[in-house]
Amino acid sequence: MTKTVKNITINALDTRLDVSGSHDELKELAETFNSMLDRIQRSYEQQNQFVSDASHELRTPIAVIQGYANLLDRWGKNDQSVLEESVGSIKTEAENMKELIEKLLFLARGDKGVQKIDMEKFPLNELIDEIIKETKLIDAGHDITTNHCESISIYADRKLIKEALRVFVDNSIKYTPQGGKIIINCYSLKSEAVLTIQDTGVGIPKGDLPYIFNRFYRADKSRTKQTGGTGLGLAIARWIILKHNGTIEVESTVNEGTRIIIFLPL
Ligand code: ATP
Ligand code: MG
């Protein structure tokens, strides 16, 4: 056992102790050790996957920026229209990259346990009003309202909760055709605040539901290509809600819509 354990490195994380003999306590120890290795190996592989997905996502905007820079270099200097198109695209891609990096940094701070959380008591209904008002300013294509919002206060990090709600509302906007409805409600139920975000959008196929909170996961690859996005929004929102000892439920029907239900301790 000692010899095997000494040889375990990050490059040989799939090594396991031999538990075939029936030496009671030693066997139990070996089994415990093996299941610990299972857990370490799993999170190591997840972390690797995360780094590789992140690098992959960063390659696209960099390639686009490089492409336009080369174009400018070759013909753009004297051609006003090439110049304008290139500068516009470089700006957009740089902005996309900045957003992606900010999301990655948020998740990394969460993983490391250094994300700051400032708890305060605040009225949830006022935050919802604020979000509805702000959303109306940037999106005129949907009918965004509330039809039941009790005045309840929660003890939480207002900025983070707002960020999480933004993720859900942004998704409802993105995955609901123009003219659709988005309804945000809140009420108290026993010792919890319940928040719902409901849309009349494209919905999420049953098979995708278990994975939508995973990092970089996007349902329906062909459709999501057009809408843009990285698949990090829900991973961030989930982190925030879990940090507040809350839970999230999703109900969705394809072509009918999606309802997100968030429970937070009052
Ligand atoms: P971003 O990081 O920009 O938010 P994203 O919106 O693709 O990118 P998530 O917010 O994590 O990523 O959502 C993951 C996937 O879940 C989406 O790609 C989409 O397929 C599906 N999804 C989430 N919310 C909805 C919704 N309200 N209606 C339909 N599909 C949704
Ligand atoms: Mg999103």
Side-chain angles (χ1 to χ4, degrees):
M1 276 172 76
T2 310
K3 212 172 117 198
T4 313
V5 172
K6 273 188 177 155
N7 282 326
I8 295 178
T9 64
I10 216 74
N11 296 316
L13 260 189
D14 53 354
T15 312
R16 293 294 178 271
L17 293 175
D18 183 7
V19 289
S20 53
S22 60
H23 298 306
D24 28 34
E25 285 124 342
L26 273 189
K27 185 174 171 157
E28 207 181 306
L29 179 64
E31 279 169 350
T32 311
F33 195 83
N34 280 349
S35 69
M36 178 189 79
L37 280 174
D38 286 345
R39 292 193 301 274
I40 293 178
Q41 188 179 7
R42 213 176 310 127
S43 55
Y44 179 69
E45 277 164 6
Q46 273 173 7
Q47 205 61 35
N48 267 349
Q49 186 64 44
F50 182 52
V51 172
S52 117
D53 288 343
S55 319
H56 187 81
E57 287 292 327
L58 282 168
R59 256 168 58 178
T60 315
I62 287 180
V64 175
I65 290 174
Q66 254 175 351
Y68 277 107
N70 287 338
L71 188 72
L72 277 176
D73 202 19
R74 260 181 276 157
W75 354 80
K77 285 168 203 138
N78 309 314
D79 185 331
Q80 190 64 26
S81 71
V82 173
L83 192 75
E84 270 165 27
E85 188 199 327
S86 306
V87 171
S89 298
I90 288 174
K91 274 179 158 170
T92 314
E93 285 306 320
E95 186 60 37
N96 287 344
M97 224 162 106
K98 194 174 130 201
E99 274 173 26
L100 174 60
I101 290 172
E102 266 158 17
K103 286 178 186 169
L104 292 173
L105 285 175
F106 183 95
L107 287 167
R109 281 199 301 273
D111 288 347
K112 266 168 75 182
V114 294
Q115 171 64 43
K116 259 183 57 192
I117 298 180
D118 291 321
M119 302 291 272
E120 58 175 318
K121 194 177 165 198
F122 66 88
L124 190 58
N125 48 305
E126 280 174 21
L127 176 64
I128 291 176
D129 287 341
E130 193 176 305
I131 286 179
I132 291 179
K133 215 185 271 166
E134 286 173 8
T135 311
K136 279 190 167 149
L137 286 177
I138 51 168
D139 172 62
H142 299 93
D143 175 16
I144 301 168
T145 49
T146 172
N147 54 24
H148 179 78
C149 208
E150 293 174 6
S151 39
I152 40 176
S153 286
I154 57 169
Y155 185 69
D157 186 314
R158 194 177 193 276
K159 255 174 97 177
L160 288 183
I161 295 291
K162 186 172 180 182
E163 206 165 317
L165 292 184
R166 275 244 73 91
V167 167
F168 295 115
V169 174
D170 282 348
N171 283 347
S172 285
I173 292 174
K174 209 154 62 167
Y175 305 113
T176 301
Q178 295 277 311
K181 236 180 140 105
I182 299 165
I183 302 171
I184 312 175
N185 286 336
C186 76
Y187 53 93
S188 65
L189 187 72
K190 291 177 194 156
S191 58
E192 286 177 308
V194 187
L195 240 154
T196 63
I197 299 125
Q198 193 178 330
D199 63 54
T200 55
V202 295
I204 305 163
K206 276 241 147 28
D208 289 307
L209 275 182
Y211 310 108
I212 54 168
F213 289 95
N214 291 357
R215 294 173 184 186
F216 293 112
Y217 190 86
R218 310 195 69 203
D220 192 346
K221 305 286 172 277
S222 59
R223 191 188 71 221
T224 45
K225 249 213 167 66
Q226 300 156 13
T227 50
T230 54
L232 289 176
L234 288 181
I236 290 173
R238 184 181 64 166
W239 187 91
I240 293 172
I241 301 300
L242 292 187
K243 261 285 165 244
H244 285 84
N245 297 318
T247 49
I248 309 171
E249 283 174 17
V250 185
E251 293 168 359
S252 191
T253 312
V254 171
N255 294 328
E256 278 184 23
T258 302
R259 187 211 305 259
I260 307 279
I261 309 153
I262 303 162
F263 299 89
L264 285 167
L266 274 176

